[in-house]
Amino acid sequence: MKKYRVIHIPASRDFYQESLLAGINKLDIDARYGETVERLSFLNPTVLYNAIKEYKVNAIHLHWQHNFLISKSKLKTIIKSVLFICQLIIIKISGIRLIWTVHNIVNHEKKYEKIELYFTGLIARCADKIIVHCRRSYDMVSDILKIRNPEKIAVIPHASFTKIISNTTDRHEARTRLNLRQEDIVFLYLGLIRYYKGVIELVDSFKRLESRNNQLVVAGSSRDDQLIGQLRKKAERLDNIHLHLKYIPNDEIHLYMNAADVLVCPYRDVLNSGSVFLGMSFGKPIIAPRMGCIPEVLNNEHNLLYDVEEKDGLFNAINLAVASKLRLKEMGNQNLMRAKEMDWDDIAEKTVKVYKNI
C-alpha cells in the first residue's frame, strides 16, 4: 500500500519543521519539504508546482502564508493573493487536501494588514483542517477568521528542543568564550532582530538598571540596517551591552544559552514563540509578555511575565530577575523539567491523526 504523502510549504528548515517532519516520517507517512519556485517570486506558483511535481501527493501542509500573499505594493499584494487563492482552489478541486498551521494570523510588520486578513480568511475557508498551538490561538483564529465549525480547528501544542540541539558547553566555558564576567547576571536576546521583537525596548529598559553587575547579550542578524544602526547607537560606549549582530548557526546556540542566566523575549506582538521553547530546553527562566500562547506555555511562578500595555512592564520584569538572582537557576530547572515532557513524537502522532481524519 502506498504511503500517505504530505508536502510542507514553505520550507523554512528550522528546528520546528525538521522536528515535525522527522516525527511524522516515523509513523509511515511520507512527509517532505516542498520546493519554492524562486524565479517567479511575484506570481509564486509554489503550491501548483509541488502538486504537479509530486503528482501522487495526498495533502499540502501550509505553514507561514505571508510570503505567498504580501508584495511590494498594494496592487501587487492583491494580485499575488488572488493567484495564491486560485492555486488553493485548483488543488482542492483535484482532490488534494489542505492543512494549515496558523503560526501568525498576519505578517509581523502589519504590512497591508487588512488585505492580508481578508485573504487569510479565504485560506481558512479553503483549508480542510486548521492547526493551532494553544487555546488562545484557537479563540483568536475562530473569532478573527470567523470559523463557525469548531471541529475544523485542532489544538496541537508546540514541543521543546531538548533532544534536538547539541549542548556541549558549560557556563564557565561559554562565558569565557563570549568575554562575559563569571559573577554577573547575564540577560540574553537570541534570534532574528526585527522591530516587532522589541529589542530596542529591551536595550532601553536594561540601561535603566542601577547595578552595573549585569550583562546584556543581543545575538542575531537583521535585514534592517536602520534597526541595526539604532541598536549600535544605544549600546555605544556601554561595556555591559554586547551586540553580536550576526547569524548564529545552530551549533553555536548552546554557547549563548549556557552563558545566560535569563532569556528575554520582549515581543511587542506575538502569537507563538519558538524562542520560548528554546529557552525552556536549556533550562532558562524567561522574561516575556503575557501575550498569545506564552502564558499557556510558561508557568508564571518560574518565569517573569509582564503586561505589554504596562508602561514599565519589561523594565520591572528585568528588575525582578536581578532581585531573584538566587532563584534563577531553580526557576530554569523547572522550565527544563516541563520542556522534557513536550515531546515531538506525541506532536507528530496528533498531526498524523489530523491527516488521516481528513
Side-chain angles (χ1 to χ4, degrees):
M1 185 175 178
K2 202 166 184 66
K3 283 186 178 182
Y4 193 94
R5 180 176 290 182
V6 183
I7 303 298
H8 286 243
I9 59 170
S12 69
R13 301 179 186 274
D14 58 5
F15 287 134
Y16 174 90
Q17 278 193 329
E18 290 283 353
S19 305
L20 180 61
L21 265 68
I24 291 172
N25 279 303
K26 291 179 185 177
L27 301 171
D28 205 35
I29 297 287
D30 182 1
R32 61 181 69 182
Y33 290 117
E35 293 183 33
T36 302
V37 183
E38 300 285 358
R39 295 177 187 174
L40 299 169
S41 58
F42 169 59
L43 300 177
N44 206 336
T46 294
V47 172
L48 283 183
Y49 174 81
N50 284 281
I52 294 169
K53 179 177 179 293
E54 305 287 349
Y55 63 97
K56 296 292 185 182
V57 64
N58 299 97
I60 285 179
H61 191 146
L62 173 65
H63 290 273
W64 300 272
Q65 75 277 12
H66 318 297
N67 288 341
F68 296 118
L69 304 177
I70 304 300
S71 193
K72 293 180 180 179
S73 71
K74 185 179 290 188
L75 178 60
K76 285 186 175 181
T77 294
I78 293 171
I79 296 171
K80 186 175 184 178
S81 298
V82 168
L83 291 173
F84 182 68
I85 297 300
C86 288
Q87 291 182 69
L88 299 187
I89 292 172
I90 291 170
I91 68 163
K92 292 277 291 179
I93 292 172
S94 69
I96 296 172
R97 301 300 189 181
L98 176 66
I99 301 97
W100 175 36
T101 294
V102 183
H103 298 281
N104 300 290
I105 296 176
V106 294
N107 69 92
H108 290 299
E109 284 72 27
K110 305 295 177 68
K111 184 177 182 181
Y112 306 127
E113 180 180 8
K114 290 183 179 179
I115 296 173
E116 184 181 10
L117 195 57
Y118 174 78
F119 285 100
T120 299
L122 295 182
I123 294 173
R125 292 187 184 186
C126 289
D128 294 283
K129 199 76 172 184
I130 298 170
I131 296 173
V132 296
H133 289 318
C134 68
R135 292 303 306 181
R136 174 63 177 156
S137 286
Y138 179 96
D139 292 339
M140 290 179 68
V141 169
S142 297
D143 181 46
I144 295 173
L145 301 183
K146 298 178 174 55
I147 308 298
R148 293 179 175 83
N149 177 12
E151 294 184 1
K152 189 169 188 174
I153 306 175
V155 180
I156 302 179
H158 201 296
S160 71
F161 304 111
T162 53
K163 297 179 181 178
I164 300 161
I165 303 175
S166 63
N167 188 4
T168 58
T169 309
D170 62 23
R171 181 178 186 272
H172 187 276
E173 181 187 353
R175 291 197 172 192
T176 300
R177 290 174 62 181
L178 293 177
N179 197 27
L180 300 169
R181 290 194 292 267
Q182 299 291 338
E183 65 275 11
D184 287 0
I185 298 177
V186 175
F187 295 86
L188 171 67
Y189 171 86
L190 178 67
L192 192 63
I193 298 170
R194 296 166 70 179
Y195 272 108
Y196 86 92
K197 294 194 173 185
V199 187
I200 294 293
E201 289 85 348
L202 170 58
V203 173
D204 286 339
S205 297
F206 181 82
K207 287 167 67 174
R208 292 172 58 191
L209 292 176
E210 294 182 5
S211 171
R212 302 293 293 174
N213 297 324
N214 307 293
Q215 306 281 314
L216 172 63
V217 178
V218 175
S221 61
S222 178
R223 298 171 186 170
D224 191 327
D225 293 337
Q226 185 177 358
L227 178 55
I228 291 299
Q230 288 182 46
L231 280 174
R232 291 190 189 280
K233 187 173 182 179
K234 286 181 177 292
E236 200 172 20
R237 298 176 185 172
L238 294 173
D239 61 2
N240 65 337
I241 298 182
H242 310 268
L243 302 181
H244 296 239
L245 303 177
K246 61 179 183 177
Y247 169 71
I248 308 299
N250 291 345
D251 59 2
E252 289 185 17
I253 288 175
H254 68 105
L255 178 65
Y256 288 89
M257 282 292 183
N258 288 318
D261 292 297
V262 183
L263 180 69
V264 191
C265 302
Y267 299 104
R268 294 176 176 179
D269 183 41
V270 70
L271 184 59
N272 300 288
S273 171
S275 295
V276 164
F277 292 92
L278 189 64
M280 293 176 71
S281 302
F282 278 90
K284 303 300 171 185
I286 298 167
I287 294 175
R290 291 187 186 89
M291 187 178 286
C293 291
I294 290 175
E296 292 183 43
V297 175
L298 296 178
N299 185 318
N300 198 37
E301 182 182 348
H302 304 128
N303 297 280
L304 301 148
L305 303 184
Y306 63 92
D307 293 322
V308 75
E309 301 297 333
E310 184 183 338
K311 181 182 177 182
D312 292 323
L314 177 56
F315 170 71
N316 291 337
I318 294 172
N319 228 353
L320 184 56
V322 174
S324 307
K325 180 177 181 179
L326 298 179
R327 293 185 55 239
L328 294 178
K329 186 173 180 59
E330 175 56 26
M331 292 165 70
N333 287 338
Q334 292 295 325
N335 275 345
L336 179 59
M337 288 174 60
R338 188 162 184 219
K340 289 179 178 178
E341 298 172 355
M342 300 172 173
D343 189 71
W344 279 105
D345 288 340
D346 180 49
I347 304 307
E349 284 182 14
K350 291 176 179 177
T351 304
V352 168
K353 186 176 179 181
V354 166
Y355 294 161
K356 291 183 176 178
N357 283 345
I358 62 170

